[in-house]
Amino acid sequence: MSFRSLFLLLVGAVIVVFVGVNWTQMTTPTDLSLIYTDIRAPLGLILLGLMALLAAVFVALIAYMQATVLFETRRHAKELSVQRDLADKAEASRFTDLRAHLDREVARLSEVINNQSRETLSRVDRAEMGLRERPVDAEISRLVQAVENHNRDLHSRVDRLEMGLREGLAGYTPAPSSVLPSSPATLAAPPQEDIGKVVPS
């Protein structure tokens, strides 16, 4: 039980005790004026009835306010649910559009890549055909022929040089062994008996 309900129950109990204690005075008839006429009635009961009526009106007003708030809350909840559904649908539609856009972009990029690949392959093919059409083999053959001619020329020159050496050494006779010096010391130091001789002019 909340503090507010306990407080209201306590106030109601105090009122009931007050009415029970003063029941005789409350039921005593009294002259009352209704502006246009006078009546004789117990003032306490009339005030108690007015208080009960005011309490009933207050309770009805509270119930009406609570019902109104409850209805408004439910209506807002429904509106929020509808708005959430719309937002979800819009988000799903946005995702769908984004996916479609990405699919289109991927397809476009794939087409561009394929076109570039085909163009690159065609360029490579054209380059290969150009290399094949160029006289590369003829140039290589010419260079090989030039190298072979140069080698033949060198061989012929070496052969002529060998033939010349052989012809120059054909009439050569080696000196006798008595003429040849015995050792390098003999060439370096002449005999002692020849030192005093005068070489004829």
Side-chain angles (χ1 to χ4, degrees), residues 90-106:
E91 192 71 19
S93 176
R94 193 178 301 113
F95 279 130
T96 303
D97 295 339
L98 180 60
R99 183 172 182 179
H101 176 69
L102 290 176
D103 291 338
R104 288 194 298 270
E105 288 296 321
V106 168

Side-chain angles (χ1 to χ4, degrees), residues 116-134:
Q116 290 182 353
S117 299
R118 286 194 294 269
E119 184 178 356
T120 304
L121 291 176
S122 64
R123 288 182 179 179
V124 170
D125 292 337
R126 287 197 298 270
E128 289 181 354
M129 292 299 294
L131 289 176
R132 290 176 182 176
E133 291 174 359
R134 290 181 182 177

